[in-house]
Amino acid sequence: MRPVIPYVTAALLFGLGVYGVLRRRNAVLVLMAVELMLNAVNLVLVTADTTVQAALPHSGQVFALFVIVLAAAEIGVGLAIVLQLYRLRASVTVDDVPLAERSSEGAAR
C-alpha cells in the first residue's frame, strides 16, 4: 500500500479543520472543525499502523480508538457548553463569549 494518499488526505483534512477553527464564528462549526482535525489524526494513526512495523502490533488502531473516545467526550461537553451559551446569550457566536473573569464584587451582586 502506498501511504502517500492517506497522509495527504489527512493533511488536507487537518488543514481544513485548522482553517475552520480560525475563521468560523459559530461555536457549532468550530466543534465540527475540531472533529475534522481529530479524524485526520485517526487517519494518520491507522495508516502508520499498517505501513510501519512497530514493536507493539495494532498500536495505531488502539490509539485511534482512544481518540474516538476523546472526540465523543469533547462533543458531549462542547455541545453542553454551546447550549448553555445559547440559553444565556441567545447566540452561539464565539465573538460574544466573555473571556475575562468577573471580579468578586460583580459576582456577589
Side-chain angles (χ1 to χ4, degrees), residues 6 14-15 20-21 24-25 32 34 37 39 44-46 50 55 60-61 69 85 89 93 102 108:
F14 195 84
V21 167
R24 296 294 175 186
R25 291 183 172 175
M32 288 175 61
V34 170
M37 293 191 304
N39 285 330
V44 167
L45 286 171
V46 171
T50 58
Q61 294 175 9
V69 169
L85 178 69
R89 305 268 180 195
T93 57
R102 291 185 182 181

Side-chain angles (χ1 to χ4, degrees), residues 71-81:
E74 177 254 338
I75 281 297
V77 172
L79 284 178
I81 291 171

Side-chain angles (χ1 to χ4, degrees), residues 1-104:
M1 178 177 145
R2 296 184 55 93
V4 175
I5 294 172
Y7 284 139
V8 170
T9 305
L12 289 173
L13 278 175
F14 195 84
L16 190 62
V18 169
Y19 176 76
V21 167
L22 294 177
R23 291 294 294 171
R24 296 294 175 186
R25 291 183 172 175
N26 191 342
V28 176
L29 293 178
V30 170
L31 287 174
M32 288 175 61
V34 170
E35 288 295 321
L36 270 178
M37 293 191 304
L38 289 173
N39 285 330
V41 170
N42 279 342
L43 184 59
V44 167
L45 286 171
V46 171
T47 304
D49 184 44
T50 58
T51 57
V52 177
Q53 296 298 325
L56 296 173
H58 306 298
S59 59
Q61 294 175 9
V62 172
F63 281 127
L65 283 175
F66 282 127
V67 171
I68 290 170
V69 169
L70 177 76
E74 177 254 338
I75 281 297
V77 172
L79 284 178
I81 291 171
V82 168
L83 285 174
Q84 187 65 27
L85 178 69
Y86 183 74
R87 287 180 186 150
L88 291 175
R89 305 268 180 195
S91 172
V92 290
T93 57
V94 180
D95 295 337
D96 294 341
V97 178
L99 297 178
E101 292 184 30
R102 291 185 182 181
S103 65
S104 61

